[in-house]
Amino acid sequence: NTSNPTIEVPIITKTSAKSNVNTKKLDEDEYLKWFINMEPMDQEQEMHKIKRSIGSFYTLGRYHDALHSALRLESVVKETIGESSTVYASCLNNIALMNKMLGNNDAALNKYIDCIQVYEKTVGKNHSNYAASLNNIGILYRTMSETTKGLQNMEYLKNAEDALNTALNIRIDLALNKELSNSREALNSAMNLAMVTRLKPAVTNVSNSDIN
C-alpha cells in the first residue's frame, strides 16, 4: 500500500489541575500545519523522531513506510530550516535511497541530483558530503546498468565511472588533508569503481559485435 498514512500526534489539554495527553490522527497537510505551530524546541524533537523512524523502517525492510517518513521530514525541514541547508540535502538523500530500495531508479536519480546540487551550493565540491552524493549516484548508475543492454548499458556504466572517479579523487584529497575518516570512504569508492571498470570491457565487446 503506497497511500499516504495518517499520523498520530499528541494533543495536550491543560487544566488548572493537570494536563491530559491524547492522540489525534492527521493527514499530511494537517500534520504540517500542526508542526509549524509548534515551539522551535518541540519542532526539533519531532524532526529527530521522524529521523529515527526512517532508520527503524529501513532496518526492518519497510521501505514504503521509510519513504513516507523521509518525505514527511523533507516537508517539515523545508518549512523550518529551508532548502539551502545540508539538513535539507540529507532529507533528499534519504528520499533517493528509499526510492532506490523500492526499485524506483529514475525517481532516486532525480533526488540524488537535487541532493548534490544543494551540497554544491552549501558546502562546495571539495567536501565529504558532496563526495558521498557522487558515490551514491555512481552506485545507482551501476545498478541501472544491470537491467539494460547495448548503448544504454554503456552510457550508464560511463556515468557510474565518472561519478565514482570524481568521488574517489575528492576523498583522496580530503584524506591527505588529515580528514582520516575519508581514507575508508576513498577505499569504498575505489572498490565500486573497480566493479564498474570490470564490467565495461564485456559491454564494449558485446556492443562491437552488435555493430559488426
Side-chain angles (χ1 to χ4, degrees):
N1 183 12
T2 59
S3 60
N4 289 336
T6 56
I7 307 108
E8 286 195 354
V9 300
I11 303 297
I12 301 174
T13 304
K14 293 184 178 180
T15 66
S16 57
K18 61 180 180 178
S19 295
N20 296 320
V21 180
N22 298 304
T23 59
K24 182 178 181 181
K25 291 185 177 181
L26 307 176
D27 62 26
E28 295 287 353
D29 290 337
E30 292 171 334
Y31 170 82
L32 186 57
K33 292 177 182 177
W34 172 81
F35 179 89
I36 291 172
N37 289 325
M38 296 171 71
E39 294 295 326
M41 184 175 295
D42 294 329
Q43 288 180 342
E44 185 175 347
Q45 291 178 348
E46 181 68 11
M47 283 190 280
H48 282 299
K49 178 183 174 182
I50 303 172
K51 189 173 181 179
R52 287 194 301 271
S53 74
I54 297 172
S56 297
F57 287 139
Y58 178 76
T59 301
L60 294 170
R62 294 170 57 181
Y63 303 126
H64 282 295
D65 291 327
L67 177 58
H68 285 313
S69 291
L71 290 168
R72 188 176 306 133
L73 184 60
E74 184 263 348
S75 67
V76 299
V77 168
K78 183 178 180 179
E79 288 294 330
T80 53
I81 300 174
E83 298 177 64
S84 298
S85 69
T86 57
V87 177
Y88 187 72
S90 178
C91 292
L92 297 174
N93 181 79
N94 289 336
I95 295 171
L97 174 60
M98 299 315 156
N99 273 298
K100 177 189 172 185
M101 299 306 296
L102 289 167
N104 304 327
N105 290 332
D106 289 336
L109 180 60
N110 288 334
K111 286 299 178 182
Y112 275 138
I113 291 173
D114 290 343
C115 172
I116 201 170
Q117 288 174 344
V118 175
Y119 277 134
E120 182 178 354
K121 293 177 182 178
T122 54
V123 296
K125 292 184 176 182
N126 196 40
H127 193 277
S128 57
N129 287 344
Y130 185 87
S133 295
L134 270 176
N135 194 72
N136 290 338
I137 289 173
I139 294 172
L140 178 60
Y141 271 125
R142 189 192 73 204
T143 300
M144 294 170 74
S145 75
E146 295 172 357
T147 57
T148 58
K149 296 180 179 179
L151 294 178
Q152 183 70 78
N153 190 302
M154 293 179 65
E155 181 181 351
Y156 284 154
L157 287 174
K158 177 65 166 59
N159 291 342
E161 184 178 47
D162 290 344
L164 290 167
N165 192 51
T166 304
L168 175 60
N169 288 334
I170 295 171
R171 285 172 163 176
I172 289 174
D173 185 54
L174 292 173
L176 291 174
N177 284 313
K178 308 302 182 184
E179 294 189 32
L180 298 180
S181 63
N182 287 283
S183 297
R184 183 175 62 255
E185 303 301 334
L187 178 60
N188 176 269
S189 290
M191 292 173 62
N192 284 303
L193 181 58
M195 293 177 66
V196 170
T197 303
R198 274 202 309 271
L199 291 171
K200 286 190 68 180
V203 173
T204 302
N205 290 336
V206 170
S207 298
N208 286 340
S209 65
D210 289 343
I211 294 170
N212 291 334

